[in-house]
Amino acid sequence: MDAAGAARSRAEVDVTLQTAKLNPGELLPAVHCLSFGPQAGAGDCCLLQLEPGLCAELEAGRSLVIRGEKDEQAVLCSKDKTYDMKIADTSNMLLFIPGCKTPEQLKADQASCNIIHSQIAGFSNNYWELRRCRPKLKKLRKLLMEDPYEGPDSQKDQTLTFSRYTTEDLLSLIQASEEEILHHLQVIDACKIEGYWRILEFDYQMKLLNHVTQLIDSESWSLSKVPLRTCLEELGSLEPTEMIEHILLSYGRKYLDDAGEVYFEMHEDKICRAIAQMLLQNAVKFNLSEFQEVWQQSVPEGMTTRLDQLKGLALVDRSSTPEIIFLLKVENLPEDNQERFNSLFTIREKWTEVDITPYIQDLCAEKQTVGALLTKYARSSMQNGVKVYNSRRPIS
C-alpha cells in the first residue's frame, strides 16, 4: 500500500502473489490496489458499530444523539433506547476506502475491471462499541426538585430565582432517549406549567389530594367513578382547575363512560402510599403497630392499608423491640450499582431478598433478574433458617 500502488500492473500483481505463495486460482480475478490519499490520516473519522435495529433507524432518516455533559460518560440515544459507548481497540488496522467493493459485490459483477485502483481516505485502530444500558434518569427528578411548584399563591413561584426546564432543556441535560424521558416524567407525576416541567411540592400535592378525597366522601361517590366535571366545578374556586385535573391523573385512571363523560378510578394503593409518606416524613422512626393504626385512620373511608403498598418507600425493622418503620425512598439512593449496594449495606448489614428487592429492582438491566444482581454484589448465608444477603466487601 503505497503511492506506486496506483500504477501497479497485472504482471506486478502476479509476481507479488507468487512471492506470497498464494494460488491465483483460489482467489477472485479482480485485484484491489490500495494507496494512501493525500488527506489520509488517523483521528479524522470515528467508527461506530451498530446493531441492525439502529442501522434501520438511520436508513429510515431518523437521528441518533450522543448525550452527556463534560463530567459524564457519553451515551448514545435512539428515539426510545439508551446505549453506553465504549472504545474497542483492534489489532487490525481498519481502512476507510470510499467505493470499495466487497467480495460478494465483485462476484455479482463479473465485468469488474481486472485491477481496481482505490485510495485510502483514512484509518483507525479502534471503534465505538454500543451496549444497551439503563437510562440515567435520577438527575431528572433532581433538576425538577430544584424548584418544586408550591401553588399559584406561592411568593417563591412568582420570583424566577431557580432554573426551570422545557422538554428541549431536559433532552440536552438527561442521558436518556426522548421516549424514556417523557415516560419518566409521567412516572414522577411531573406536569407542564407555562411551558416548563414541574413537580408539585409534596405538601401542595397532599393539599390537592385532600380536596379531592373530601369531595368524594361528601358526595358519597364510588372510588371507581369520580366525575371530572363535578370535581372542577366544586373545587375550581379553591385551586386552579389544571391542578385538580393533574392530581386526578396522578392518583387515578382516566376513562369515558357510555355517554362520553370523563371519570376517574382512584388508585387505592397510590393514595395509601402518599398518606403513609406524609405520616413518616416527620418522624425518624415510628412504632410499627402505632403507625399502622394511625395510617388506617388517615386514609379515605373504604380504603385498606397494607405494608406491601410501601415497597421502595419505607422499611420495617422487625429485629427491634418494639418493631419500627422508617422512611427509605428508593429514589434517594445512588444510581450506580455498586454505590447502591454499599449504601444499602450501610443502612442494614443483612437483608432478606424480600426486603432488598424493592431497592434494587430498578437496577436490573434488560433480561437481568434480582437474583443475578444479588449473586454479583452480595454474599448469601443462612440466619435462623432464612437466606440473608450481606456485602461482598468491607463497608466503611
Side-chain angles (χ1 to χ4, degrees):
M1 291 189 295
D2 54 26
R8 196 170 283 163
S9 66
R10 181 75 220 192
E12 288 173 310
V13 169
D14 289 339
V15 169
T16 304
L17 290 174
Q18 196 174 355
T19 305
K21 297 181 180 176
L22 292 171
N23 180 2
E26 294 174 356
L27 306 172
L28 288 173
V31 176
H32 270 293
C33 288
L34 305 180
S35 60
F36 284 98
Q39 305 301 319
D44 295 335
C45 302
C46 292
L47 288 173
L48 186 63
Q49 187 179 59
L50 298 178
E51 60 183 42
L54 288 177
C55 271
E57 292 225 7
L58 285 180
E59 286 164 356
R62 289 188 284 273
S63 300
L64 300 178
V65 186
I66 294 174
R67 294 197 168 114
E69 297 192 77
K70 287 182 180 177
D71 60 341
E72 295 171 327
Q73 178 75 37
V75 298
L76 181 134
C77 300
S78 65
K79 184 78 175 168
D80 61 349
K81 294 182 180 71
T82 304
Y83 298 84
D84 268 328
M85 298 179 69
K86 288 193 170 63
I87 289 181
D89 291 317
T90 171
S91 55
N92 297 321
M93 185 181 286
L94 302 166
L95 305 176
F96 309 149
I97 307 172
C100 181
K101 290 190 175 181
T102 64
E104 291 75 18
Q105 290 170 320
L106 290 170
K107 280 179 186 173
D109 183 10
Q110 294 295 337
S112 284
C113 174
N114 210 10
I115 294 184
I116 302 166
H117 298 289
S118 300
Q119 277 203 338
I120 297 164
F123 57 91
S124 178
N125 289 313
N126 54 51
Y127 59 92
W128 286 100
E129 201 173 48
L130 302 181
R131 186 172 298 163
R132 181 80 189 274
C133 67
R134 295 192 318 274
K136 295 170 173 59
L137 293 162
K138 188 179 175 69
K139 185 177 174 184
L140 180 53
R141 176 186 280 275
K142 184 183 173 186
L143 290 177
L144 297 188
M145 286 306 292
E146 290 173 359
D147 184 21
Y149 184 67
E150 296 179 1
D153 302 326
S154 166
Q155 285 297 114
K156 191 182 82 155
D157 214 73
Q158 289 160 19
T159 56
L160 269 171
T161 54
F162 290 89
S163 299
R164 290 182 188 165
Y165 303 94
T166 63
T167 303
E168 287 304 311
D169 294 333
L170 295 176
L171 285 171
S172 68
L173 291 167
I174 306 300
Q175 292 188 288
S177 70
E178 185 171 356
E179 283 190 18
E180 289 166 330
I181 290 171
L182 292 175
H183 173 71
H184 197 65
L185 285 166
Q186 282 188 313
V187 169
I188 63 176
D189 297 322
C191 64
K192 257 189 180 177
I193 300 172
E194 297 176 351
Y196 297 100
W197 285 103
R198 310 287 297 277
I199 287 182
L200 271 55
E201 193 268 333
F202 185 69
D203 288 345
Y204 180 57
Q205 203 178 118
M206 295 310 293
K207 180 184 173 185
L208 292 168
L209 183 60
N210 191 44
H211 285 322
V212 170
T213 54
Q214 283 187 348
L215 183 61
I216 292 170
D217 186 49
S218 66
E219 298 286 343
S220 300
W221 289 331
S222 162
L223 289 165
S224 62
K225 198 170 184 183
V226 177
L228 173 63
R229 187 193 298 179
T230 313
C231 284
L232 299 182
E233 287 169 357
E234 294 293 323
L235 302 174
S237 60
L238 300 173
E239 295 292 344
T241 53
E242 298 85 359
M243 292 296 100
I244 300 299
E245 186 165 4
H246 175 69
I247 210 72
L248 285 165
L249 284 165
S250 298
Y251 288 91
R253 180 185 66 83
K254 186 178 183 178
Y255 68 94
L256 299 175
D257 72 354
D258 296 338
E261 282 288 315
V262 179
Y263 286 89
F264 284 87
E265 178 184 7
M266 304 310 290
H267 294 315
E268 179 176 314
D269 287 356
K270 194 167 181 181
I271 292 171
C272 290
R273 183 183 175 92
I275 291 168
Q277 181 178 335
M278 181 182 69
L279 295 172
L280 289 168
Q281 68 181 4
N282 297 319
V284 178
K285 291 180 179 176
F286 213 128
N287 178 301
L288 179 61
S289 60
E290 288 177 10
F291 165 75
Q292 286 179 290
E293 190 178 331
V294 174
W295 184 26
Q296 183 59 59
Q297 290 167 358
S298 304
V299 300
E301 196 174 337
M303 291 192 176
T304 305
T305 58
R306 304 184 318 277
L307 286 176
D308 68 0
Q309 293 165 335
L310 306 185
K311 287 178 179 177
L313 175 72
L315 191 62
V316 174
D317 184 356
R318 299 196 181 277
S319 64
S320 68
T321 307
E323 294 176 343
I324 57 168
I325 186 169
F326 57 94
L327 205 62
L328 181 60
K329 297 158 79 173
V330 66
E331 68 221 38
N332 293 340
L333 295 172
E335 200 167 28
D336 175 76
N337 289 16
Q338 188 62 63
E339 288 177 22
R340 174 80 61 91
F341 275 92
N342 289 350
S343 182
L344 289 170
F345 288 126
T346 301
I347 292 163
R348 177 183 284 184
E349 186 185 355
K350 294 185 177 180
W351 293 74
T352 62
E353 186 171 345
V354 171
D355 282 349
I356 202 170
T357 293
Y359 294 103
I360 60 172
Q361 186 91 54
D362 63 311
L363 298 180
C364 291
E366 204 175 16
K367 297 177 183 173
Q368 190 178 29
T369 63
V370 164
L373 270 179
L374 286 169
T375 300
K376 184 174 181 180
Y377 293 100
R379 182 180 283 112
S380 67
S381 60
M382 298 300 290
Q383 185 173 290
N384 302 324
V386 177
K387 185 184 271 192
V388 292
Y389 295 87
N390 64 295
S391 179
R392 282 190 171 276
R393 53 177 68 185
I395 299 295
S396 54

